[in-house]
């Protein structure tokens, strides 16, 4: 795990990425199923993933509708039923959560730490995530790129999230993300940052001393 500007004291709030932190990455089987549903030529997964990601930032930022996004991926417009099938499979790839991370965050919430979700996510996925039990119970707020019309690492995304925490001093807020470029952008604004690389034990090691300090204050 790589971490930057982390101190174990005086953490009043967390700003959390979703995918790669709370959410698990899709499996190869999931990618293959989506490529099959897209009727990708030769089931060639690398080329399908290239097509999938090329317009994704615009999709996440709310600049493309579901139809426009999948038309760019496929090279042609899918019919309404096919579009619903693709969207459902796409969404399902990003909705598996890591129970170990959720357990750590539940302890943070019980300690009185405010948590805000900040995720690059298209509109439909954001609605699904907002309906989850963990979102309602753990997060004081959830900000999504499709609603903000901008994606991390745009500095404005972090400014919106910091405002949502209600904490004026960014040095009292810890930002957690699985991408180093997102962490660097947050650090530039004065936020503490933790680059999470998929090990819940590392997250616990870095975060829980701060919670113990807070609980004892």
């Amino acid at each position: 795990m790589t971490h930057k500007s982390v101190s174990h004291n005086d953490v009043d709030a967390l700003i959390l990425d979703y995918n790669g932190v709370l959410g698990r990455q899709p499996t190869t089987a999931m990618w293959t199923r989506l490529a099959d549903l897209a009727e990708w030529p030769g089931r060639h997964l690398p080329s399908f993933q290239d097509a999938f990601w090329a317009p994704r930032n615009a999709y996440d930022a709310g600049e493309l509708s579901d139809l426009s996004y999948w038309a760019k991926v496929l090279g042609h417009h899918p019919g309404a039923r096919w579009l619903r099938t693709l969207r459902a499979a796409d969404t399902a790839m990003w909705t598996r959560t890591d129970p170990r991370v959720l357990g750590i965050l539940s302890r943070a919430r019980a300690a009185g730490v405010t948590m805000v979700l900040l995720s690059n996510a298209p509109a439909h996925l954001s609605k699904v995530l907002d309906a989850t039990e963990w979102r309602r119970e753990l997060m004081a707020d959830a900000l999504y790129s499709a609603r903000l019309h901008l994606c991390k690492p745009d500095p404005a995304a972090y400014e919106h999230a910091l405002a949502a925490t209600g904490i004026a001093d960014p040095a009292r807020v810890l930002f957690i993300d699985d991408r180093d470029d997102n962490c660097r952008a947050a650090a530039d604004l004065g936020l503490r940052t933790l680059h999470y690389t998929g090990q819940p034990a590392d997250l616990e090691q870095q975060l829980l001393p701060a919670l113990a300090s807070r609980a004892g204050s």
Side-chain angles (χ1 to χ4, degrees), residues 18-217:
Y18 171 69
N19 186 49
V21 180
L22 288 85
R24 290 176 167 172
Q25 299 286 5
T27 64
T28 300
M30 289 177 169
W31 279 112
T32 300
R33 178 174 182 270
L34 186 59
D36 285 344
L37 291 173
E39 300 178 3
W40 198 254
R43 301 182 65 192
H44 188 253
L45 198 54
S47 63
F48 172 71
Q49 290 174 319
D50 287 345
F52 179 94
W53 288 117
R56 193 69 179 195
N57 198 66
Y59 186 37
D60 284 348
E63 297 170 6
L64 296 175
S65 66
D66 296 333
L67 179 61
S68 297
Y69 169 72
W70 279 105
K72 287 183 177 295
V73 174
L74 300 174
H76 56 84
H77 284 81
R81 183 174 180 179
W82 192 11
L83 176 62
R84 289 193 298 271
T85 299
L86 290 168
R87 187 181 68 177
D90 178 14
T91 300
M93 293 204 312
W94 311 107
T95 52
R96 299 180 310 135
T97 53
D98 188 330
R100 298 167 298 175
V101 174
L102 291 178
I104 295 169
L105 296 182
S106 293
R107 294 163 70 180
R109 184 70 184 90
V113 175
T114 299
M115 290 183 282
V116 170
L117 192 70
L118 179 62
S119 176
N120 289 352
H124 182 71
L125 176 58
S126 70
K127 294 176 183 177
V128 172
L129 294 178
D130 266 350
T132 61
E133 183 177 355
W134 62 261
R135 155 65 180 98
R136 296 193 302 270
E137 292 185 354
L138 296 179
M139 301 297 154
D141 203 350
L143 306 181
Y144 303 98
S145 55
R147 301 178 190 176
L148 295 173
H149 297 290
L150 50 89
C151 293
K152 293 175 294 182
D154 189 312
Y158 305 97
E159 292 168 354
H160 282 292
L162 181 60
T165 68
I167 307 298
D169 183 0
R172 301 180 71 88
V173 179
L174 177 63
F175 172 74
I176 304 171
D177 199 291
D178 69 322
R179 285 180 46 171
D180 191 55
D181 58 337
N182 289 339
C183 287
R184 289 196 305 269
D188 286 344
L189 295 176
L191 291 159
R192 301 181 191 183
T193 63
L194 182 64
H195 180 203
Y196 180 68
T197 57
Q199 300 298 321
D202 291 337
L203 174 62
E204 185 173 38
Q205 180 182 2
Q206 295 297 330
L207 181 58
L208 292 186
L211 304 181
S213 174
R214 180 181 174 86
S217 61

